[in-house]
Amino acid sequence: MTDVPDSYDPEQVEPKWQEEWRGSEIYNPEGEPDYVIDTPPPYPTGQLHLGHALGWSYMDFAARFHRLLGEEVLFPQGWDCHGLPTEVKVEEEENIHRTDVPREEFRDLCVEYTERRIDGMKETMQSLGFSQDWEAEYRTMDADYWEKTQRSFVEMADGEDDYVYRDEHPVNWCPRCETAIADAEVENIDREGTLHYITFPGVDNDDIQIATTRPELLAACVGMAVSPDDERYEDRIGDTFEVPLFGQEVELIADDDVDGDFGTGAVMICTFGDKQDVDWWAEHDLDLRPVFTEDGHLNHLAGDYEGLKIEEAKGLIADDLEAEGLLEDTEPTDQSVGACWRCDTPIEILSKEQWFVEVRQDEILEKAEQVEWIPDHMYDRLEDWTEGMEWDWVISRQRVFATPIPAWFCGNDDCEYVHVAEIGELPLDPTETDPEIDACPECGGEDWEGETDVMDTWMDSSISPMHVQGWPDEEFTPTTLREQGHDIIRTWAFYTLLRVTALEDEIPWEESLVNGMVFGDDGHKMSKSRGNAVGPEEAIEEYSADSVRQALALGGQPGSDIQFQWKEVKSASRFLTKFWNIFQFSADHFDEDTPEIDAPAYRDADKWILTKLSRTADAVEEDMAEYRFDAALRKLREFVWNDLADDYLELVKGRLYEGRPGERDAARKALYTAVSASVRMLAPFSPHFADEVYHYLPGTEGSVHAASWPDVEFADEEAAEKGDLIAEVASEIRAWKSDEGMALNADLDRVEIYSEYGREWDTYDLSEAVNAPVYPEAGEPNVELVPVGIDPDHSQIGPQFRDKAGQVIGALESADLTQLKNQKEIEGEISLTVDGEEVTIEGDAVGIEEEYRAESGEEVEVLETDRATVLVFP
RNA sequence: GGGUUUGUGGUCUAGUUGGUUAUGACACCUCCUUGACAUGGAGGAGGUCGGCAGUUCAAAUCUGCCCAAACCCA
């Protein structure tokens, strides 16, 4: 084989194979798949970042590995299209407000925009060599997908279980996005606020002071509260006070949840400042005085302040309190405020009529426990989040670009009937279509008003495993794997568990593999302002996709955060070069018949490398099956570099160049087996490189990704031991030559090797490797033997002597070495006096370290390895 | 404030049920063009395994406390 290029050029090779794969069907499963990935449908931001690259690499490693095992793998790719950020971008780009154009037109603009974004991300995915089945691509904005979302809604609304309901209830509200949002979409941000000490004049009693960071909520004040244990207010429970500036009268109540140490120990209760207010309001049956509008202004209940923005009102009201002499003091305070995770605007809590999905914690957790979480502590996160859920999931959004809620309201103002569509009517947009039923079953009215609210996008993505499994046409069976970042456990994983449990009473996936975050080279979160952000494209261009993938695999074990390091990418690229050179050298000795070499006369070195290969393949397979990609790749690299290249290749060079046909064939066959197996094991990590090598390898047909996992059952323990001896001696002599300043191929007069294998081993390859005649010898070399120390076996001496073990070791160390040696050799045990007592130690438990010393003046060098004593005659 | 996770040579990282000399990579120093590879080879220096206490004959590993960081939650 001489047509193998001298060097490996990923810039040319990678695009070539990507093109090849695109035109083939190797990533499309045939028939019923065995291994199904519920790929996270990313939000089409247009940019695939390294965090995505990590998650997708994990999935691709798993997909390719399972294909090599002969499984039919379904690795689809979806896109979670709907959502606010796109609406905002489109508004910016078109310079319009979404209400400026008809809903349908605005939706079309969003679709068009999303398509462009998807294309960009797809390109990066392909340049990273991911092996999705693009025939199974889906987009949640397509009608055939959101038909499923609507169907799932209808089933959950109509089913006996009745998960979906409509109600007025306080919800998180983003005043900028002007929509309700779910708990999962609220993020807490820490900031410094101002604590206002405000006097509430007493009605027929003394004044009281409260502390609040939100004076703009005075208009919404419906009560005051103190801790029941607070002695300062012991006699004042039930007293009435007047709300400053606004005049409504409120009562002081006692509640355990008041923190008496904060501010003055008295707080005002408003509708609503936070969730705590909601609790108090519900528990003490207080009035509802909502003062905020949906777009973040004050309404008529705020009197003169009507129309002001919330932030403006805060300042003005504080000023006016000051003017009235009711603002006692202000001080800075650290506060944590809920904010919209999409735009960081502080959220408000408004009481609104919305659609909800009931959260049934127990049944979600029951299913979550049946999922295998990798790493398993990720289950705890889900459990914590689930148990901490206080409110049901609000699924309606006051937006446009999302799945329409298939429901209508009776057009008769006096009738409150709400009609949910039948499954047969779907997909539909209720703002454009009337229901199939004619008359309202309650009032007989025939006019219908379509629901303009749309669904939370998590309603789309939380049925992804069902979509992937062909629901509703096919009966649902759990997918095999869900891979995702730990940041979306509380959202996507949670909602998916909720939905699949509700709809199918099944787990969505058997295994949930969680990836960590990817940090920059400096160990910090990647950010543009920090200047440590790296995109996949940049890294590919610098070193190759195959190297980036290896660097991601080796960054740490799945689940832990990893640091993106250029040096790892670089060392991966060096490994590929090394592997290429090994292959190139090997290929020189291969021909078309090499794979067919039958009954080769393997020598010890061959049996040794095959045994090592077999062990490596087993270990790597085990790691891959457990998603320990880091360990798998590390073991593979060590085998290829240390065992195959450094040791085996050096040993068999002589045989390959000058051996007799039979001897040569054995080496060629063993080498072929090792290279062929290694390249297949590398295929999940570096698929382009692997295909390139595989394609040049004789006896192969088609892609390495359609090949099978190496099945090298070779176990010759004795040959493995002898091979270790050979490799060890070769390496020791190489090191010695290096130390002596000799050329590594310098010839030697002869080498004698004394080992437990005596004369019963194969010296041919070693002799070639060290360039000297090699004489295996039994017995002891004829040189002076000097004991230099002891090597106690703590695992024997420890348990035997317990608390005396330290003294025993001490006695051994100070004993006369020659005497110890004699005792051990003659009696098989060692007797010592320890602390005035006679103790006896098994001979096995004490190793005697000895060194051979050449007689002075003799032309011989004595080298010691673990398994042998080597006499080198230069 | 609560929870989860992490802390190993300059940097990143491995270490399965406690057991001799703690893994590898990168960087660093010295030497070497030998018939795959100088993107290579051989050798070397560099660690109180975050700290303190405890359990044990024996702790990177188990327990407790403390410190630091990341994430999640309040």
Side-chain angles (χ1 to χ4, degrees):
Chain A
M1 304 267 316
T2 47
D3 59 339
V4 178
D6 285 344
S7 60
Y8 178 69
D9 178 14
E11 252 177 278
Q12 180 260 323
V13 170
E14 293 193 344
K16 180 185 81 184
W17 285 105
Q18 287 158 17
E19 191 57 38
E20 180 79 20
W21 298 334
R22 257 198 292 277
S24 78
E25 290 180 351
I26 51 175
Y27 303 139
N28 308 1
E30 273 175 45
E32 189 76 9
D34 310 297
Y35 187 89
V36 180
I37 300 177
D38 177 22
T39 317
Y43 194 74
T45 56
Q47 294 285 320
L48 191 92
H49 52 68
L50 273 175
H52 290 122
L54 178 68
W56 263 259
S57 290
Y58 287 170
M59 285 184 271
D60 200 48
F61 299 156
R64 291 181 184 277
F65 169 67
H66 283 274
R67 284 191 203 104
L68 288 174
L69 290 183
E71 297 170 32
E72 291 299 326
V73 172
L74 175 59
F75 181 11
Q77 183 62 57
W79 302 96
D80 180 22
C81 306
H82 289 139
L84 191 61
T86 298
E87 291 191 20
V88 174
K89 286 280 179 196
V90 167
E91 285 178 328
E92 274 173 20
E93 214 168 73
E94 303 288 326
N95 197 23
I96 53 170
H97 188 263
R98 68 172 196 274
T99 50
D100 296 345
V101 295
R103 287 173 76 92
E104 198 49 38
E105 191 177 319
F106 187 73
R107 215 191 130 81
D108 288 345
L109 289 170
C110 290
V111 168
E112 207 178 287
Y113 176 87
T114 302
E115 282 173 342
R116 293 202 303 272
R117 296 295 166 123
I118 288 175
D119 289 344
M121 294 177 83
K122 241 164 118 165
E123 209 172 294
T124 310
M125 284 176 171
Q126 290 182 346
S127 66
L128 277 162
F130 298 142
S131 61
Q132 296 99 329
D133 172 6
W134 291 104
E135 282 178 20
E137 186 178 5
Y138 64 92
R139 312 186 304 181
T140 60
M141 66 183 179
D142 291 342
D144 64 345
Y145 190 96
W146 59 258
E147 174 181 352
K148 296 187 184 188
T149 306
Q150 288 189 328
R151 183 191 175 107
S152 70
F153 172 91
V154 170
E155 286 191 10
M156 285 174 73
D158 287 358
E160 308 133 35
D161 294 334
D162 215 12
Y163 283 85
V164 172
Y165 65 94
R166 194 176 154 75
D167 196 9
E168 176 167 343
H169 188 275
V171 291
N172 304 302
W173 188 273
C174 174
R176 198 209 66 86
C177 303
E178 293 180 47
T179 182
I181 58 176
D183 283 351
E185 294 168 315
V186 176
E187 251 158 27
N188 290 294
I189 51 179
D190 293 326
R191 65 173 190 187
E192 187 165 280
T194 305
L195 193 58
H196 299 74
Y197 288 88
I198 300 171
T199 304
F200 275 48
V203 176
D204 305 325
N205 55 60
D206 292 341
D207 299 349
I208 229 174
Q209 259 186 24
I210 60 104
T212 180
T213 55
R214 305 203 60 190
E216 70 274 21
L217 273 165
L218 278 174
C221 181
V222 291
M224 301 170 75
V226 292
S227 165
D229 307 326
D230 197 327
E231 289 166 9
R232 288 170 291 179
Y233 303 106
E234 234 168 11
D235 309 326
R236 318 244 7 218
I237 311 298
D239 285 359
T240 303
F241 301 87
E242 185 187 314
V243 176
L245 303 181
F246 299 94
Q248 71 268 32
E249 290 186 359
V250 295
E251 190 184 321
L252 183 70
I253 57 176
D255 193 291
D256 285 332
D257 289 337
V258 177
D259 175 7
D261 296 331
F262 182 78
T264 62
V267 294
M268 63 175 183
I269 303 171
C270 308
T271 53
F272 297 100
D274 55 22
K275 278 194 170 177
Q276 180 68 66
D277 280 348
V278 176
D279 289 347
W280 283 328
W281 167 76
E283 192 173 327
H284 299 283
D285 199 20
L286 301 170
D287 291 342
L288 184 67
R289 282 178 64 89
V291 295
F292 293 148
T293 63
E294 295 178 359
D295 61 353
H297 292 75
L298 273 62
N299 67 15
H300 65 281
L301 287 175
D304 295 344
Y305 303 95
E306 181 178 359
L308 288 176
K309 281 192 188 168
I310 292 170
E311 276 306 304
E312 293 168 355
K314 186 196 287 282
L316 263 175
I317 289 173
D319 290 348
D320 291 350
L321 285 169
E322 174 102 67
E324 298 260 325
L326 296 170
L327 183 63
E328 195 64 26
D329 195 10
T330 61
E331 66 179 31
T333 182
D334 291 329
Q335 61 176 167
S336 175
V337 296
C340 172
W341 75 338
R342 292 299 187 204
C343 70
D344 283 344
T345 306
I347 57 145
E348 296 300 340
I349 294 175
L350 303 188
S351 186
K352 292 282 166 189
E353 180 107 339
Q354 299 284 345
W355 293 89
F356 293 89
V357 163
E358 205 180 315
V359 173
R360 300 177 189 169
Q361 276 114 322
D362 292 350
E363 74 180 30
I364 294 169
L365 287 176
E366 189 207 317
K367 286 291 184 292
E369 281 171 9
Q370 294 167 32
V371 172
E372 188 185 345
W373 296 82
I374 306 161
D376 54 13
H377 67 257
M378 291 297 174
Y379 168 77
D380 298 340
R381 288 214 181 183
L382 183 102
E383 190 183 64
D384 284 353
W385 173 256
T386 307
E387 285 175 349
M389 290 292 284
E390 289 176 34
W391 290 358
D392 281 340
W393 175 18
V394 54
I395 57 164
S396 43
R397 297 289 181 276
Q398 290 65 50
R399 305 298 301 188
V400 177
F401 187 44
T403 301
I405 293 175
W408 297 265
F409 305 106
C410 179
N412 184 346
D413 284 350
D414 300 330
C415 179
E416 299 201 332
Y417 183 72
V418 180
H419 177 71
V420 173
E422 302 292 328
I423 284 169
E425 297 174 74
L426 307 174
L428 64 84
D429 183 343
T431 63
E432 298 188 344
T433 317
D434 274 341
E436 282 176 5
I437 56 164
D438 304 324
C440 171
E442 282 190 8
C443 72
E446 293 185 1
D447 289 337
W448 295 99
E449 277 173 29
E451 169 65 288
T452 55
D453 281 5
V454 292
M455 284 186 230
D456 179 2
T457 52
W458 297 112
M459 285 292 281
D460 297 335
S461 53
S462 57
I463 56 166
S464 66
M466 296 172 61
H467 170 81
V468 164
Q469 291 290 50
W471 183 85
D473 306 327
E474 284 166 47
E475 197 173 329
F476 177 77
T477 52
T479 60
T480 318
L481 177 74
R482 150 69 58 89
E483 199 288 336
Q484 63 182 8
H486 59 59
D487 52 332
I488 50 175
I489 288 177
R490 68 183 171 134
T491 52
W492 195 41
F494 173 79
Y495 289 135
T496 306
L497 279 160
L498 185 161
R499 298 261 277 149
V500 176
T501 301
L503 289 157
E504 295 294 328
D505 193 24
E506 274 283 5
I507 53 170
W509 355 266
E510 288 161 5
E511 301 168 326
S512 171
L513 173 64
V514 179
N515 66 268
M517 301 285 110
V518 180
F519 296 117
D521 215 343
D522 60 358
H524 291 102
K525 210 170 187 168
M526 282 195 185
S527 76
K528 283 194 186 114
S529 57
R530 210 184 266 277
N532 64 349
V534 176
E537 298 87 353
E538 187 186 344
I540 293 169
E541 202 176 317
E542 194 80 18
Y543 287 106
S544 78
D546 283 343
S547 306
V548 172
R549 295 166 55 113
Q550 283 195 34
L552 292 172
L554 286 174
Q557 43 182 288
S560 58
D561 292 338
I562 72 161
Q563 204 164 320
F564 175 81
Q565 294 178 93
W566 283 108
K567 66 183 175 103
E568 284 295 344
V569 189
K570 187 173 167 185
S571 88
S573 131
R574 285 189 180 164
F575 173 69
L576 293 179
T577 305
K578 183 75 182 181
F579 199 141
W580 184 261
N581 287 320
I582 292 166
F583 169 64
Q584 208 212 353
F585 167 82
S586 309
D588 248 354
H589 300 279
F590 293 160
D591 58 33
E592 288 308 320
D593 301 326
T594 307
E596 308 306 326
I597 292 170
D598 197 31
Y602 286 138
R603 309 195 72 110
D604 283 346
D606 304 323
K607 294 180 195 163
W608 167 77
I609 195 68
L610 291 172
T611 302
K612 287 230 163 190
L613 172 66
S614 172
R615 289 181 192 157
T616 303
D618 289 347
V620 171
E621 180 176 341
E622 203 179 311
D623 287 333
M624 293 297 283
E626 289 168 2
Y627 303 99
R628 281 300 305 265
F629 304 121
D630 60 322
L633 181 54
R634 203 177 311 114
K635 283 172 191 161
L636 176 59
R637 277 203 200 179
E638 272 165 22
F639 171 77
V640 170
W641 204 308
N642 301 338
D643 297 330
L644 183 58
D646 289 346
D647 291 335
Y648 182 69
L649 239 49
E650 294 302 330
L651 283 173
V652 296
K653 265 180 186 170
R655 197 146 38 106
L656 286 169
Y657 283 117
E658 290 149 22
R660 291 194 302 262
E663 297 164 338
R664 191 167 169 249
D665 274 356
R668 291 161 72 197
K669 181 65 190 277
L671 186 56
Y672 178 86
T673 307
V675 169
S676 161
S678 301
V679 77
R680 279 175 282 156
M681 289 192 272
L682 184 64
F685 297 105
S686 291
H688 312 85
F689 177 89
D691 237 352
E692 183 74 1
V693 168
Y694 196 73
H695 145 84
Y696 281 114
L697 204 61
T700 62
E701 214 172 297
S703 170
V704 69
H705 306 296
S708 54
W709 189 258
D711 177 24
V712 195
E713 283 193 28
F714 198 99
D716 185 331
E717 296 306 323
E718 201 185 316
E721 290 280 325
K722 290 175 179 173
D724 280 337
L725 169 70
I726 293 167
E728 201 176 272
V729 172
S731 151
E732 193 68 29
I733 292 176
R734 265 203 309 267
W736 173 75
K737 283 180 174 177
S738 174
D739 279 347
E740 294 294 303
M742 297 167 75
L744 293 186
N745 63 346
D747 61 346
L748 302 168
D749 212 39
R750 71 193 166 100
V751 173
E752 290 176 7
I753 295 163
Y754 295 82
S755 73
E756 61 170 294
Y757 307 104
R759 295 192 166 87
E760 302 303 309
W761 56 281
D762 181 357
T763 59
Y764 182 111
D765 293 320
L766 182 58
S767 174
E768 292 289 331
V770 301
N771 203 11
V774 170
Y775 300 94
E777 301 288 350
E780 304 295 327
N782 188 20
V783 285
E784 195 188 352
L785 190 59
V786 185
V788 292
I790 57 152
D791 179 23
D793 181 348
H794 294 257
S795 65
Q796 281 192 53
I797 295 172
Q800 192 187 342
F801 295 100
R802 294 276 153 191
D803 54 338
K804 287 222 170 62
Q807 285 171 299
V808 170
I809 304 258
L812 281 168
E813 275 166 353
S814 55
D816 181 86
L817 289 168
T818 315
Q819 238 172 20
L820 287 183
K821 189 187 165 192
N822 287 341
Q823 277 200 49
K824 180 179 167 179
E825 276 171 10
I826 296 162
E827 292 159 31
E829 53 185 34
I830 291 167
S831 301
L832 283 171
T833 311
V834 175
D835 201 17
E837 270 179 64
E838 180 91 351
V839 298
T840 306
I841 309 157
E842 281 296 307
D844 293 350
V846 185
I848 310 284
E849 290 172 348
E850 294 168 299
E851 272 179 15
Y852 289 100
R853 299 256 168 83
E855 308 276 347
S856 57
E858 200 177 352
E859 275 287 320
V860 62
E861 192 70 33
V862 184
L863 308 178
E864 302 238 34
T865 74
D866 287 351
R867 293 174 177 76
T869 301
V870 181
L871 267 51
V872 179
F873 299 84

